[in-house]
Each structure stands twice: as C-alpha cells, then as structure tokens.
Amino acid sequence: DVQIDIRNVGKVYGSKTEEPVVALDGVTLRIRRGEFISLLGPSGCGKSTLLGIIAGFQSATSGQLLQDGRPITRPGPSRTVVFQDYALFGWMTVQQNVEFGLKAKGMGRAERAEIARALIAMVRLNGFEDKFPHQMSGGMKQRAAIARALAPDPDILLMDEPFGALDAQTRVLLQEEIARISSEAGKTVIFVTHGIDEAVFLADRVVVMSPRPGRVREEVLVPLPRP
Ligand code: ADP
Ligand code: ADP
C-alpha cells in the first residue's frame, strides 16, 4: 500500500551570482502507509530539501511526487512538520499552540479544548497547558511541538532533526516517546537525522542518502521490532 510515491525527483537551487546547487539528483522512494522511515545522511546531502518537497513547502525541479496517487503541490493538513527549533508560537501557551492546529478544521471551542488536552496528555505535558514556550525546557517544547503537529490528525508526520537541539538524556526520552506515539496514533513518519543510532533505533526502514548530489544510496530494513 504505497502512500507516498517519489519518482525520480531532482532539485536544483539556482542563483544569479553563484553556481547552481544540485541538492537532489533522481531520488526514487516509495513509502508505505504506517511506515516509520529514517532519512539518514551527512549534513548537506539534501535531507531537508527532500522533506520540504514532501511537505509541499518547496517544489521539485524535476520528477514526480504523489500522495495516494495525487500530486503534492502545496502544504496541507495531511502532512505536518516538526522542526529542530520547535517553531512554537512564543506568544501562545501550550494549549493555544496545540489548538492552533485544530482551528483550520472549523471545530467549536469546547471540542478544540478537549482534543488539545488529549494530545497534551499523549505527549505527557499534563499540567503545563498554560505555560508559555520560554517557561519550558527544550524537551518540553519539543513535546508541545509534536502535540501541535498531531492536532490536524495528519496522515504523515515529517520530522526534521527534531531532537538535534536536545541534550543526550532528553533525546533518548523523546526517541522512546515518538516510537510509542507514532505506533499508537498509527502515523506514517519520515524522520530526518544524521545520527545512525537514532535512525536505526526508530525506523522500520533506514534510507541512506549520498552526499551531494543527494541520491538514495541504500535502503536498509531494520530487522528488530521497535519497543
Ligand atoms: P541536509 O538537510 O541533508 O543538510 P539540505 O537539504 O539542507 O541538506 O541541503 C542540500 C544542499 O542544498 C546543500 O548543499 C545546501 O547548501 C543546498 N541548499 C539548501 N537550501 C538552499 C537554498 N535555499 N539555496 C541554495 N542552496 C541551498
Ligand atoms: P523532558 O521534558 O524530555 O521530560 P527535560 O530534561 O526537558 O526532559 O525536563 C525534565 C522535567 O523537568 C520536565 O518534565 C519538567 O517536569 C521539569 N522541568 C524542566 N525544565 C523546566 C522548566 N523550565 N520549567 C518547569 N519545569 C521544568
């Protein structure tokens, strides 16, 4: 059951003053529904570019990208992104940040509040609903960002080095959490990282990318069941 079908996708960053940069060169990848994929490769190999194209934030220069048989042309609530720097709204509480993801759906106030509370509990931030981002640790901010990304009930959760800014201990905690959450919530996850341990620990399949120009070099099935 192919959910995302990436066919021969290329991306060239053009510039008037410098040489164009070939960030992706013929990437072909099929992702099944419910799969947890780690996209692994050294810095600069095009991981963020590929994630941005899947999200719909950027367009490919060549090739085709389909979700459930339809071309991906713009960002949408069926694909949400968690970034390394959390990207929470600093002027909103945790509750408001999470509810923000629900507003687009035209949901009533009470229903929004209830769903947000359930998501906040899922990421184990109960009791911190009324805190602002600056009042929380990095780990807690990333938990809030994960809850916000899950709010629109996306089919696909895209994560771009989500734990890269956290200390080692917090990172391990959140790795365990995202493994639990993704299987509980039944989401397809594409997890970008340059950490081999993290990639292998989390994924059903590790997709290894070559340095520039970015290509899929290898796909490795991870044989051990996840915790
Ligand atoms: P990664 O996420 O693996 O570190 P990126 O997708 O960020 O890789 O970058 C891939 C290549 O494209 C790099 O050489 C980077 O310098 C280049 N690049 C990324 N974004 C831009 C941009 N907006 N303009 C020009 N070059 C870019
Ligand atoms: P994690 O958030 O991944 O559990 P952290 O090391 O970020 O790990 O935080 C551990 C715990 O310490 C949190 O769950 C929270 O209870 C408390 N804590 C950390 N930083 C703060 C803070 N700035 N304000 C309130 N409580 C905090």
Side-chain angles (χ1 to χ4, degrees):
D1 184 11
V2 175
Q3 185 174 32
I4 300 185
D5 193 357
I6 300 164
R7 296 185 189 163
N8 209 19
V9 160
K11 176 72 180 182
V12 181
Y13 288 106
S15 157
K16 288 202 174 73
T17 52
E18 290 167 59
E19 285 289 293
V21 175
V22 180
L24 297 175
D25 183 27
V27 172
T28 293
L29 186 62
R30 295 200 172 83
I31 299 167
R32 279 179 280 112
R33 205 176 306 284
E35 207 174 11
F36 196 125
I37 289 222
S38 290
L39 210 53
L40 175 71
S43 179
C45 74
K47 305 182 295 295
S48 294
T49 298
L50 184 56
L51 206 77
I53 291 172
I54 296 170
F57 295 148
Q58 341 186 11
S59 56
T61 312
S62 56
Q64 247 197 328
L65 215 100
L66 307 172
Q67 179 182 353
D68 294 313
R70 287 182 297 276
I72 294 172
T73 53
R74 61 175 78 87
S78 70
R79 300 176 309 276
T80 57
V81 188
V82 175
F83 299 97
Q84 178 170 339
D85 65 358
Y86 328 119
L88 291 167
F89 301 117
W91 60 92
M92 291 185 191
T93 63
V94 168
Q95 178 82 23
Q96 288 164 340
N97 266 283
V98 177
E99 283 195 33
F100 182 84
L102 296 164
K103 280 192 177 149
K105 299 201 128 182
M107 216 175 255
R109 219 184 153 75
E111 193 184 356
R112 273 208 315 265
E114 192 185 318
I115 293 175
R117 267 174 211 292
L119 288 165
I120 289 166
M122 189 184 219
V123 299
R124 304 190 205 274
L125 276 184
N126 328 48
F128 292 89
E129 289 85 354
D130 298 328
K131 297 283 184 204
F132 288 92
H134 70 86
Q135 298 175 297
M136 301 192 300
S137 70
M140 295 163 75
K141 282 188 271 201
Q142 199 53 297
R143 289 169 189 273
I146 291 168
R148 188 183 61 186
L150 290 170
D153 196 22
D155 297 322
I156 301 149
L157 187 61
L158 303 166
M159 307 188 87
D160 196 351
E161 306 252 4
F163 309 142
L166 306 177
D167 62 87
Q169 204 183 336
T170 306
R171 193 181 314 141
V172 168
L173 275 175
L174 283 204
Q175 284 167 356
E176 284 163 3
E177 291 283 296
I178 199 63
R180 173 182 66 82
I181 289 166
S182 66
S183 77
E184 256 175 41
K187 304 292 180 199
T188 305
V189 182
I190 307 176
F191 189 98
V192 161
T193 180
H194 59 259
I196 295 176
D197 289 358
E198 180 173 71
V200 173
F201 172 74
L202 288 170
D204 302 315
R205 181 157 57 113
V206 178
V207 175
V208 184
M209 291 183 65
S210 307
R212 278 174 61 183
R215 291 196 183 109
V216 173
R217 178 194 283 169
E218 221 179 327
E219 295 181 36
V220 186
L221 283 172
V222 179
L224 293 171
R226 281 193 274 136

